[in-house]
Amino acid sequence: MSLLRLIVLLAGAALLAACDSEQNDPYPAAERGQAILYSAFTERPKHLDPAQSYTEDENTFIAQIYEPPLQYHYLKRPYTLIPGAAEQVPTPVYYDAAGKRLPADAPAASIARSVYEIRLRPGIRYQPHPAFAVGDDGRPVYETIDAAMLAKVERIADFPRTGTRELTADDYIYQIKRLAHPHLHSPIFGMMAAHIVGLRELGDALQQAAKANPDAWLDLDRFPLPGVERIDRSTYRVTLKGKYPQFLYWLAMPFFAPVPREVDRFYSQPGMAAKNLSLDWYPVGTGPFMLTENNPNRRMVLDRNPNFHGETYPCEGEAGDREAGLLADCGKPLPLIDRAVFSREKESIPYWNKFLQGYYDASGIASDSFDQAVRLAVGGDVALTDEMQAKGIRLLTSVRTSTFYMGFNLLDPVVGGKDGVGEARARKLRQAVSIAVDQEEFISIFMNGRGIPAMSPLPPGIFGFVEGEGGINPVVYDWIDGRARRKSVEAARTLLAEAGWPNGRDAKTGEPLVLNLDTTGGGMGDKSRLDWLTRQFAKIDIQLVVRSTDFNRFQEKLRKGAVQLYYLGWNADYPDPENFFFLLAGAESKVAQGGENASNYASPAFDRLFAEMKDMDNTPQRLDIVRRMNRLLQEDAPWVFGFHPKSYTLGHAWLLNRKPNDVANNILKYQRIDVAARAAARHAWNAPVLWPLAALLAVGLAILVPAVVAYRRRERRNARGNDGR
Amino acid sequence: MSIQPVLLWSDALIWLLVLGVVAFGWASSRTPPLRAAWRRVGRNRPGMAAATVLLVFVLIGLLDSLHYRPPLANRTPDQPAAYSIEVLSALDALAAPLRTRMEKTYSAPLATRAYAKESIEVRDAGGAVHAVRDFPRLAFGGAHLGEDEAQRDADVLGRVLAAEVVALALILVVSGVGAVLLARRQAIPWPQAVRRLWRGDTDIAWNAVLFSLGALALTAAPLLALCVDYHVFGTDKVGQDVFYQVLKSVRTALVIGLVTTLVTLPIAVALGILAGYWRGWVDDLIQYLYTTLSSIPGVLLIAAAVLMMQVVIDTHPQWFATAAERADLRLLALCLILGMTSWTGLCRLLRGETLKLRELEYIQAAQAFGVADLRILARHILPNLMHLVIIALVMDFSGLVLSEAVLSYVGIGVDPTTISFGTMINNARMELAREPMVWWSLAAAFSFMFALVLAANVLADAVRDAFDPRAAVA
Amino acid sequence: MFAYLVRRLLYAIPILIGVNLITFALFFIVNTPDDMARMQLGVKRVTAEAIEKWKAERGYDKPLFVNAQASGVGVVTETIFFTKSARLFVGDFGRAEDGRDIAREIRTRMGPSLAIALPTFVLGLFVTVCLALMLAFFRATPLDFWGVVLCVAMMSISGLFYIIGGQYLISKLWRLVPISGFSAGLDAWKFLILPVLIGVVSGIGSSTRWYRTIFLEEIGKDYVRTARAKGLSELAVLFRHVLRNALIPILTGVVVVIPLLFMGSLLTESFFGIPGLGSYTIDAIQAQDFAVVRAMVFIGSVLYIVGLILTDLSYSWVDPRIRFES
């Protein structure tokens, strides 16, 4: 009986809902027809505080909210810095140790200080926020919030009054001081303390103050920072030690965004943090969007900032942008959408399916849905499958500014040649391995071809990357028929024999060569990858032991130098070769210095070139040095250069102005949605299939009818006095 | 060429378990109540059919529990013998064709060509090389057909039919031998023996055994006939044969299902009896222990413990000569941890039963006569608890096998390099989203797991019905 | 009764201390405070100095269990264990390692968890009891036999299969409901149907079979025969007598899980993207957020103990013969 009722109930509910086509619409019906961009995020952002957030998941949000002094041009490639909140891109002024001004082309060694003067655009105002609400007496309304008032507040929107004010240079200075705040643990503090004059001392002073009075709010204005100077209301100067041209890139990151003192003060009031009312949860910026709903478990909503100062869509881009329609909105005021809704999507299957149903406007492609979306055309070009093209989906590809590699720990006797093994032998061994591990096959199996094999640490788009014959890694590749061809396994075997391991056996003792590879074994899908790796090493008779460990353990092993081979990747902070080469600089050695050079590669020649290269501007001389550094690395092979992943994004036809961008994150303001086209497509794609419900009903009846009949019969028998048994 | 035998910890435990089963079988044949109970199991037709299926799984598992390291080929004769770090098992040796014949990536069951198109370089008549997009020919799947791929269907059908004929003949022979043996034993003419066998009119439900053997033979024969030249269940992402993976998963499932209970059984039995027999503070302490343990949410406890074991393993790489040993220890650790979360139930049950038993008159009498406590425990209490232990053992099996899959999903299951149903399902999960769908890994893993768990559940029912005194009375 | 309750509650305290000790020990064998700091501070550009600062601020710079440097009570209280666990007992879960308030997080996540777990539980119980009654009613008929076979088959299928299969069929192929997601308020129903349905279906096999055994046991008893002899219809016997008496064994199994419904379901929540406590727990394990793991373990244990007490109380409710006098 009950089953029937359940079935009827379910069928009824479904039929009722079936009146409209998109009953699988995950969004409220009220949102239909609005200029809202829908996308998803997989990892919940850990921090939204501009002093703390560093990862891409976090910057996806806060880059839309905060405006650092500089930004990247949306369309131009190579990536070009343009003014953000600043009036222009600052040119550093150099001084020597005596304080004498030096010309712009002065040698780096003579430069003691560089000064960046940043002038802000006038008329930039903050988003509406209660911290700016001012009463009739001119004092902030919410300067002191008592418990009774706080009891009525759950979200920031619950404060009845809001206000705004103009952006000033002090806000930027305040944020730079926040980098040194002991409670914030800014990831770049250590690095910036080495560059900005007085930042380290500020950190120490703040630490002391925090220790003396642990619960009180630290008013950063009371602590001096000599390296950052306020000139006037909208101008400030940053003084760096020595020459550091990469500083401009940092000025385009949210670390250097403005944070008003009164907002910090507002959030520091007792009881606020317990309600998640903090800068970490509700950012306050001057950018085109403001965060209005923060539920990192489910969805994040960015709404248009009514006080946005206005910016227009760029009118120039690189070649081909006009044909691609990317310049159609030239001169229109930004942002072009009213709202962006980000939903949390932890599993990739639902993510992909919702995209196909039209409920996400854009999507990356997981490796497994790749064949469905993209086919590789003749000659390695990619094109969308007919199915995708029929849906009007567009493919956006770009090579990411990152590199993946398998590193050797050069402190290890076998692969590093320490303890009398001999560096020459070990180098040959490393070269042999570099040849044996077939990156092309890896990319084709595990990345569906979405990557290009790395010849050096530098990915395309970074200064110093050379395409074609001049850029190949001559240790691993030969240039044949206009293509880079991986050297044969025989060549690797020969190298291995020269290294003293003929056929993978020690030439003297006959012991087999066993290498250990440490990886962070995250997902279970790793098994196939590990099997594949083992096979690569087996090709040259090396026995590979793969040890997958959890992330912390892996890091600890790297720190102690207790690995032989390891797998890592690096995402560029900014598009400059320095940001890749420093991973192999002797001064960054992991074991000795706790730096980022996990291979502990220390080559005096390389370090010398690195020191010279890093402070240079992008001149032909610099290109030459970069080339020499690459040659050194290819010869020494401290890494098996892996690949540079390509990012493939799919966008529906109604998502306009999307251009892949790996460096900048503040791209939301350029996007436009053709709402009518989206509504039509969703309607067409989501007609429900109802026959299974009918079938279910039929099956239920088919079971129930005989049961009821049998029951009747039995009851009648009972009435006659026969027990059923 | 010699080989180097390797005894993994789990191997040792498995063979210990086999020994234990033999010893227990011998012991129970001498204990009338246990013997009677086993007889009841023997008469239970579904139970016996399930037992037969399980036995086949166990045989696969046992074959997979004889490990060795193959020697490395010596290029020069004077080199000392060295062994590969790859640990193989007897099953691997038998299934060498399955293990070694790797394709590049996905291929469908019985396919001769890969599942996805690829650019292939073709040299045309003029000698120029140009790329064509097509499904590449598999390196091994149906390789014996050569160019003649159209022959595949006929070849497959022929092989299946031949295999079924062989299987049928085999069943008939086995049944015939069985009938003859029965006839000789009961001194009856063989047609009558055949009839008895058919009707199940025997001490043990031989007809069910023969029936399930028949069913197994009919399924296994075509698989075996095809797997030598095709990938019967297709290949996975890196081109490994799925049939091979399924076979390897059996051992993992068995280890999880059996060893888990085995390693924690002593604790549960000892503590349960102690608590129930001595009562007082011992009881309080033991109750406290198991209430505390069981009140921690299982997944959290398992997660924390697995992470901990992983740290121990990672910090002592010198313990393990091979990756197999590492993976094995992790498997064993998982067993231990799963056991830690599951022994509390049995312990509570045993405590309750002991509490009841010790109030029985004959035990009171024994105590009054001054018989030593240990003797009472061993002589009177423990044997009377055996049925609970056996029931717990068989009932836990299927649950443990299923939970392995779930734990592997959460990332706290077996070592990623261990082939198990859980790892297979997890790897295959994403493949469902592909278009066209890659369904075979998931289907193969689920159906084998289903067969194993179903057999275990049916046998568990039979055993419980036979051993549960309440059921026996009813 | 009251005295009994008080005794049980007092008994819970040492258990909770024990639970804390175990989690604590397990977690800190795995994780040194350094590891936790690294996990929270991210991957790029972390210095040893930053780690020390983080530890000091979060109170992880003390010894784990015994502080040899402190004097008096401080030997025990000036430790990570004491400072981190004592506050749990007054319901103060503190902050997650990323600085967010755990109690608040739990409050907001409880709703979605319950929205899935409660309907699944109630509906599941209702459906399985009905099915079991049906099987018991048709005992010793082909319907019963095949019903049991179906149950055994259904319980031999991995739970993952139900979820994967259900999502594939109902959401992907038939487009009947959203494939995943959640929404607060009334809109939630369309997200809930599928996980609840899958939860109910995956539980049918084992529960139905178990309840059927219980019912059959009751049906075999004398009083049922008496009732039948009085001329009561079979349905009346089943509902009025058998069901009522079979409630005790059913309750033992069921009541204990009711409080644990709060904890949510790990698998369902992560597959369907429901922001409940189950996915919170999984995330915390993966992120090695000790504060959250500890809080969840603590809550889980408390709920389990509450469940045990409820079980005892429900006995006396269904069977007035049981009284708790000490």
Side-chain angles (χ1 to χ4, degrees):
Chain A
M1 291 290 145
S2 58
L3 191 67
L4 180 68
R5 209 171 305 152
L6 177 76
I7 291 167
V8 171
L9 217 73
L10 275 176
L15 281 173
L16 266 182
C19 297
D20 97 78
S21 157
E22 299 130 74
Q23 49 175 300
N24 55 354
D25 185 355
Y27 309 115
E31 286 182 6
R32 287 190 194 170
Q34 296 188 40
I36 302 175
L37 185 136
Y38 294 101
S39 54
F41 62 106
T42 26
E43 285 298 314
R44 67 179 260 171
K46 264 187 188 165
H47 297 290
L48 295 176
D49 186 319
Q52 289 174 293
S53 46
Y54 200 1
T55 64
E56 202 178 321
D57 337 316
E58 296 160 352
N59 280 331
T60 309
F61 299 106
I62 69 165
Q64 326 301 337
I65 298 164
Y66 286 105
E67 282 188 304
L70 305 181
Q71 61 178 337
Y72 289 93
H73 193 281
Y74 183 52
L75 300 173
K76 283 186 188 164
R77 299 290 182 277
Y79 296 105
T80 316
L81 283 172
I82 57 168
E87 287 214 306
Q88 64 206 34
V89 178
T91 336
V93 179
Y94 302 121
Y95 297 94
D96 67 6
K100 195 164 69 76
R101 187 170 169 163
L102 295 171
D105 56 355
S110 64
I111 296 173
R113 287 175 194 286
S114 7
V115 175
Y116 291 77
E117 183 174 295
I118 296 144
R119 179 181 300 276
L120 302 174
R121 275 195 235 186
I124 297 181
R125 291 192 311 148
Y126 280 99
Q127 66 178 71
H129 193 270
F132 300 123
V134 181
D136 298 332
D137 55 350
R139 293 187 57 78
V141 179
Y142 299 113
E143 199 173 18
T144 48
I145 301 174
D146 50 13
M149 178 178 241
L150 204 56
K152 284 183 274 177
V153 173
E154 285 301 317
R155 299 166 303 144
I156 200 77
D158 293 340
F159 285 100
R161 299 183 58 176
T162 59
T164 182
R165 79 158 164 79
E166 196 180 347
L167 174 75
T168 63
D170 299 283
D171 303 336
Y172 286 92
I173 299 172
Y174 196 81
Q175 164 68 359
I176 297 175
K177 287 182 177 175
R178 287 181 85 239
L179 297 179
H181 197 294
H183 291 173
L184 293 177
H185 307 287
S186 177
I188 64 161
F189 169 65
M191 212 210 103
M192 279 301 150
H195 291 295
I196 298 179
V197 173
L199 193 64
R200 180 166 307 283
E201 293 72 19
L202 175 69
D204 294 341
L206 290 174
Q207 175 99 36
Q208 297 229 309
K211 207 167 265 174
N213 205 348
D215 292 324
W217 173 59
L218 276 180
D219 183 358
L220 299 179
D221 276 1
R222 290 196 293 110
F223 297 85
L225 175 58
V228 184
E229 194 184 347
R230 177 185 191 270
I231 304 301
D232 58 38
R233 206 177 136 71
S234 58
T235 316
Y236 66 105
R237 265 186 211 149
V238 182
T239 311
L240 303 184
K241 301 171 194 162
K243 184 180 177 182
Y244 184 49
Q246 287 83 16
F247 185 65
L248 284 180
Y249 297 121
W250 289 103
L251 285 180
M253 290 190 216
F255 292 116
F256 289 87
V259 169
R261 176 176 170 276
E262 57 262 53
V263 169
D264 193 33
R265 170 87 189 82
F266 170 80
Y267 282 130
S268 70
Q269 299 179 69
M272 297 282 265
K275 297 205 159 192
N276 281 336
L277 298 171
S278 67
L279 203 57
D280 208 13
W281 197 267
Y282 291 106
V284 184
T286 57
F289 294 94
M290 54 189 198
L291 187 70
T292 44
E293 185 181 334
N294 181 351
N295 184 351
N297 309 321
R298 193 158 72 75
R299 66 178 209 159
M300 312 276 280
V301 178
L302 291 173
D303 268 307
R304 179 198 281 269
N305 170 11
N307 296 341
F308 185 53
H309 54 86
E311 199 181 333
T312 52
Y313 193 88
C315 289
E316 51 181 3
E318 64 173 334
D321 281 352
R322 185 172 301 280
E323 293 70 31
L326 286 170
L327 294 176
D329 284 328
C330 159
K332 284 196 185 152
L334 301 179
L336 299 167
I337 51 170
D338 295 331
R339 176 186 271 197
V341 175
F342 296 80
S343 309
R344 178 117 192 247
E345 212 60 82
K346 279 160 86 179
E347 296 277 330
S348 62
I349 296 180
Y351 188 173
W352 176 241
N353 282 323
K354 279 188 194 167
F355 169 71
L356 288 186
Q357 291 168 346
Y359 294 122
Y360 289 128
D361 297 322
S363 165
I365 322 174
S367 165
D368 286 288
S369 29
F370 190 79
D371 287 348
Q372 186 181 1
V374 174
R375 57 186 161 75
L376 292 162
V378 181
D381 287 340
V382 289
L384 284 171
T385 55
D386 300 339
E387 192 194 355
M388 296 290 128
Q389 278 172 346
K391 289 195 159 199
I393 292 170
R394 283 170 304 129
L395 175 70
L396 308 156
T397 63
S398 69
V399 181
R400 298 183 58 91
T401 49
S402 31
T403 183
F404 286 84
Y405 56 91
M406 186 198 296
F408 296 95
N409 174 16
L410 299 192
L411 297 181
D412 179 87
V414 178
V415 299
K418 295 287 183 298
D419 302 341
V421 176
E423 305 215 340
R425 271 184 70 186
R427 184 181 305 127
K428 291 222 158 112
L429 168 65
R430 295 197 297 269
Q431 291 177 349
V433 171
S434 299
I435 296 173
V437 181
D438 189 345
Q439 302 296 344
E440 288 78 13
E441 191 176 308
F442 182 91
I443 294 168
S444 111
I445 294 184
F446 296 101
M447 314 276 301
N448 305 101
R450 287 179 296 168
I452 58 169
M455 299 291 170
S456 73
L458 303 182
I462 300 289
F463 180 81
F465 174 83
V466 181
E467 200 146 354
E469 188 174 3
I472 66 164
N473 179 352
V475 174
V476 179
Y477 292 91
D478 292 318
W479 189 262
I480 299 171
D481 295 343
R483 264 176 63 185
R485 302 249 178 197
R486 183 169 287 271
K487 291 195 171 160
S488 67
V489 173
E490 272 319 306
R493 285 172 165 280
T494 315
L495 276 171
L496 195 64
E498 288 169 17
W501 302 97
N503 300 316
R505 309 281 285 264
D506 190 310
K508 294 196 196 86
T509 63
E511 279 292 302
L513 175 55
V514 180
L515 293 182
N516 295 303
L517 170 73
D518 283 83
T519 63
T520 48
M524 302 301 289
D526 280 356
K527 171 159 174 38
S528 39
R529 204 171 320 183
L530 304 186
D531 286 347
W532 179 86
L533 264 177
T534 319
R535 268 198 272 162
Q536 300 306 308
F537 280 75
K539 285 197 296 202
I540 53 170
D541 295 326
I542 297 180
Q543 310 204 37
L544 181 73
V545 181
V546 183
R547 302 192 286 215
S548 54
T549 54
D550 81 305
F551 188 73
N552 271 330
R553 220 51 48 198
F554 178 70
Q555 290 284 333
E556 187 185 313
K557 280 179 161 179
L558 286 184
R559 270 198 312 285
K560 292 189 180 150
V563 295
Q564 243 175 344
L565 282 87
Y566 63 92
Y567 243 124
L568 268 183
W570 175 257
N571 268 326
D573 293 318
Y574 42 81
D576 192 86
E578 182 265 353
N579 201 247
F580 287 90
F581 283 137
F582 92 105
L583 295 171
L584 286 160
E588 282 282 337
S589 165
K590 193 105 195 174
V591 173
Q593 315 284 340
E596 296 290 341
N597 175 1
S599 279
N600 301 300
Y601 176 64
S603 152
F606 180 84
D607 287 349
R608 212 167 34 244
L609 289 172
F610 178 70
E612 199 177 332
M613 181 277 302
K614 77 177 177 177
D615 297 333
M616 288 173 83
D617 301 316
N618 287 343
T619 54
Q621 287 90 331
R622 194 178 198 217
L623 189 63
D624 183 57
I625 295 179
V626 167
R627 208 172 275 177
R628 274 156 62 198
M629 292 172 80
N630 275 337
R631 280 296 302 133
L632 272 176
L633 293 180
Q634 288 158 350
E635 195 60 37
D636 280 342
W639 293 355
V640 175
F641 299 114
F643 56 91
H644 309 298
K646 282 186 195 165
S647 74
Y648 280 25
T649 312
L650 295 179
H652 281 297
W654 58 77
L655 176 66
L656 305 167
N657 302 340
R658 173 69 69 119
K659 178 166 181 175
N661 189 327
D662 282 310
V663 177
N665 288 297
N666 60 342
I667 55 168
L668 203 56
K669 57 187 174 188
Y670 303 107
Q671 319 287 304
R672 187 157 67 83
I673 299 282
D674 183 347
V675 178
R678 176 166 71 186
R682 280 187 185 175
H683 188 81
W685 294 344
N686 290 298
V689 182
L690 288 175
W691 64 261
L693 286 180
L696 196 69
L697 206 69
V699 171
L701 284 177
I703 295 173
L704 271 186
V705 168
V708 171
V709 171
Y711 168 71
R712 287 267 166 75
R713 199 179 301 148
R714 182 178 284 207
E715 279 298 89
R716 239 175 282 133
R717 229 177 354 189
N718 278 352
R720 286 203 306 271
N722 287 338
D723 191 291
R725 293 167 26 131
Chain B
M1 289 245 260
S2 61
I3 54 167
Q4 187 183 40
V6 175
L7 187 70
L8 299 177
W9 277 102
S10 58
D11 293 343
L13 283 173
I14 283 185
W15 292 109
L16 201 70
L17 193 67
V18 171
L19 263 181
V21 167
V22 171
F24 182 72
W26 180 75
S28 45
S29 70
R30 294 163 54 97
T31 325
L34 284 180
R35 199 167 58 206
W38 284 120
R39 284 250 169 83
R40 282 198 289 276
V41 176
R43 274 198 294 276
N44 186 320
R45 259 181 260 169
M48 285 313 283
T52 317
V53 176
L54 271 185
L55 197 68
V56 173
F57 277 113
V58 168
L59 282 179
I60 296 175
L62 287 182
L63 268 182
D64 206 5
S65 300
L66 293 168
H67 285 101
Y68 67 94
R69 285 164 70 172
L72 288 176
N74 277 3
R75 310 257 164 172
T76 49
D78 54 327
Q79 268 180 341
Y83 299 95
S84 164
I85 52 153
E86 195 182 11
V87 175
L88 297 179
S89 72
L91 182 74
D92 291 325
L94 284 178
L98 292 182
R99 183 170 60 85
T100 49
R101 290 199 301 217
M102 312 263 280
E103 305 295 345
K104 196 174 159 214
T105 180
Y106 293 116
S107 70
L110 300 177
T112 57
R113 285 179 174 264
Y115 198 56
K117 280 190 182 171
E118 252 178 53
S119 302
I120 316 169
E121 287 185 349
V122 182
R123 201 172 283 276
D124 61 15
V129 177
H130 62 105
V132 178
R133 241 189 115 62
D134 198 6
F135 298 102
R137 187 81 165 81
L138 293 183
F140 298 102
H144 65 291
L145 297 173
E147 291 292 301
D148 201 12
E149 285 173 63
Q151 282 294 307
R152 197 219 30 197
D153 294 350
D155 183 51
V156 169
L157 195 69
R159 279 168 188 249
V160 169
L161 285 180
E164 297 295 24
V165 169
V166 173
L168 271 177
L170 211 70
I171 302 160
L172 285 180
V173 169
V174 171
S175 312
V177 171
V180 170
L181 284 179
L182 188 73
R184 190 168 301 166
R185 187 145 167 204
Q186 302 195 344
I188 46 172
W190 69 267
Q192 199 183 344
V194 169
R195 217 170 304 133
R196 277 197 190 175
L197 209 54
W198 178 255
R199 284 207 208 109
D201 195 8
T202 42
D203 279 353
I204 290 174
W206 287 118
N207 60 342
V209 173
L210 285 174
F211 178 77
S212 61
L213 267 185
L216 279 175
L218 287 178
T219 2
L223 286 183
L224 292 178
L226 290 172
C227 76
V228 280
D229 284 315
Y230 294 97
H231 301 290
V232 213
F233 292 147
T235 54
D236 71 353
K237 189 166 187 163
V238 281
Q240 199 171 37
D241 193 288
V242 173
F243 186 47
Y244 171 72
Q245 294 183 25
V246 169
L247 288 180
K248 292 289 281 183
S249 302
V250 170
R251 174 176 187 268
T252 316
L254 288 176
V255 170
I256 296 266
L258 294 174
V259 175
T260 298
T261 326
L262 181 82
V263 288
T264 51
L265 209 56
I267 310 175
V269 172
L271 292 185
I273 293 181
L274 282 184
Y277 189 78
W278 267 289
R279 299 190 289 194
W281 67 269
V282 180
D283 188 18
D284 286 342
L285 192 73
I286 291 170
Q287 276 201 62
Y288 169 72
L289 194 69
Y290 70 61
T291 318
T292 305
L293 266 180
S294 59
S295 65
I296 300 178
V299 180
L300 289 176
L301 189 62
I302 293 170
V306 167
L307 284 175
M308 188 197 78
M309 272 315 294
Q310 191 59 45
V311 172
V312 174
I313 290 173
D314 286 342
T315 41
H316 299 93
Q318 70 277 13
W319 291 355
F320 316 101
T322 61
E325 286 172 32
R326 265 167 60 89
D328 185 67
L329 197 77
R330 166 113 184 224
L331 177 65
L332 217 60
L334 185 66
C335 287
L336 260 173
I337 294 155
L338 279 173
M340 274 305 145
T341 53
S342 66
W343 68 269
T344 53
L346 180 61
C347 186
R348 180 177 300 152
L349 209 67
L350 290 176
R351 172 182 166 271
E353 195 66 22
T354 315
L355 271 178
K356 266 189 250 163
L357 283 176
R358 81 183 296 281
E359 298 302 323
L360 292 182
E361 279 157 11
Y362 72 100
I363 290 178
Q364 298 275 345
Q367 278 174 331
F369 281 120
V371 181
D373 283 338
L374 269 181
R375 205 177 156 76
I376 296 179
L377 287 183
R379 262 296 167 77
H380 301 297
I381 305 244
L382 192 59
N384 282 309
L385 295 174
M386 268 341 271
H387 67 279
L388 286 178
V389 173
I390 292 170
I391 292 174
L393 198 86
V394 291
M395 297 289 280
D396 281 354
F397 178 84
S398 52
L400 290 169
V401 174
L402 290 178
S403 64
E404 186 269 330
V406 174
L407 289 179
S408 297
Y409 166 76
V410 184
I412 47 178
V414 294
D415 191 88
T417 56
T418 310
I419 302 177
S420 78
F421 290 127
T423 46
M424 279 187 73
I425 291 174
N426 267 299
N427 290 336
R429 208 159 45 83
M430 293 298 303
E431 294 166 359
L432 274 188
R434 289 182 81 104
E435 197 77 33
M437 189 166 73
V438 174
W439 48 269
W440 47 87
S441 303
L442 203 65
F446 270 132
S447 38
F448 266 69
M449 191 156 126
F450 177 68
L452 177 64
V453 174
L454 185 65
N457 275 332
V458 173
L459 181 68
D461 273 2
V463 170
R464 197 193 44 198
D465 289 349
F467 278 84
D468 194 338
R470 280 188 307 172
V473 173
Chain C
M1 190 64 129
F2 182 71
Y4 167 80
L5 266 183
V6 170
R7 200 157 45 91
R8 286 297 297 258
L9 287 176
L10 283 180
Y11 185 59
I13 293 174
I15 290 181
L16 289 177
I17 294 179
V19 166
N20 252 314
L21 222 92
I22 292 174
T23 4
F24 204 81
L26 277 177
F27 204 86
F28 277 98
I29 294 172
V30 179
N31 268 322
T32 60
D34 282 34
D35 290 338
M36 295 167 63
R38 268 172 214 286
M39 202 75 190
Q40 292 309 318
L41 293 175
V43 197
K44 286 174 158 186
R45 306 179 191 274
V46 181
T47 56
E49 185 195 349
I51 288 171
E52 284 312 312
K53 272 194 339 204
W54 186 91
K55 276 165 37 183
E57 189 201 290
R58 298 287 157 95
Y60 285 112
D61 52 349
K62 302 190 181 83
L64 282 183
F65 289 107
V66 180
N67 191 343
Q69 270 141 34
S71 56
V73 204
V75 174
V76 183
T77 54
E78 294 280 303
T79 58
I80 299 181
F81 177 68
F82 188 85
T83 51
K84 295 278 163 186
S85 359
R87 283 192 298 179
L88 288 180
F89 284 88
V90 291
D92 176 5
F93 298 117
R95 302 213 175 179
E97 306 300 355
D98 61 3
R100 285 166 189 174
D101 192 66
I102 297 179
R104 193 186 162 83
E105 188 82 25
I106 288 175
R107 272 201 306 280
T108 53
R109 281 172 178 266
M110 219 160 65
S113 270
L114 280 181
I116 293 284
L118 216 58
T120 312
F121 172 75
V122 173
L123 212 63
L125 192 65
F126 177 72
V127 169
T128 45
V129 165
C130 286
L131 287 177
L133 274 176
M134 194 169 94
L135 292 185
F137 180 80
F138 290 107
R139 61 192 171 275
T141 64
L143 188 77
D144 179 34
F145 175 78
W146 288 109
V148 173
V149 169
L150 195 68
C151 283
V152 176
M154 281 180 81
M155 63 189 272
S156 304
I157 297 173
S158 165
L160 291 171
F161 184 81
Y162 287 107
I163 299 181
I164 296 173
Q167 237 178 9
Y168 183 77
L169 279 184
I170 296 178
S171 288
K172 191 178 174 203
L173 281 191
W174 299 339
R175 300 186 285 270
L176 292 175
V177 288
I179 194 157
S180 72
F182 190 74
S183 151
L186 282 178
D187 262 350
W189 70 271
K190 61 182 174 189
F191 297 102
L192 293 182
I193 284 187
L194 187 57
V196 167
L197 190 74
I198 288 173
V200 170
V201 170
S202 62
I204 283 183
S206 53
S207 307
T208 306
R209 206 172 66 117
W210 181 39
Y211 297 155
R212 172 185 166 273
T213 327
I214 293 171
F215 290 141
L216 286 186
E217 223 163 84
E218 282 301 320
I219 286 178
K221 288 190 179 156
D222 288 341
Y223 74 93
V224 178
R225 282 160 205 255
T226 318
R228 222 181 265 136
K230 281 197 305 190
L232 285 178
S233 81
E234 185 71 19
L235 271 191
V237 171
L238 272 183
F239 278 100
R240 224 173 287 160
H241 296 279
V242 174
L243 184 59
R244 193 186 156 86
N245 283 293
L247 267 183
I248 299 184
I250 293 181
L251 276 177
T252 7
V254 160
V255 173
V256 94
V257 292
I258 292 178
L260 288 175
L261 293 180
F262 281 95
M263 300 288 286
S265 151
L266 303 176
L267 280 187
T268 317
E269 285 182 15
S270 52
F271 266 100
F272 288 96
I274 289 152
L277 288 173
S279 47
Y280 191 40
T281 315
I282 285 285
D283 288 355
I285 292 175
Q286 275 158 7
Q288 310 202 343
D289 192 327
F290 178 50
V292 178
V293 172
R294 188 186 48 211
M296 292 309 291
V297 167
F298 187 80
I299 294 174
S301 315
V302 169
L303 290 175
Y304 178 79
I305 292 166
V306 171
L308 288 184
I309 298 175
L310 279 182
T311 313
D312 286 352
L313 293 182
S314 60
Y315 281 157
S316 76
W317 175 65
V318 285
D319 187 351
R321 283 171 303 182
I322 300 175
R323 286 269 173 271
F324 299 104
E325 312 294 347
S326 40

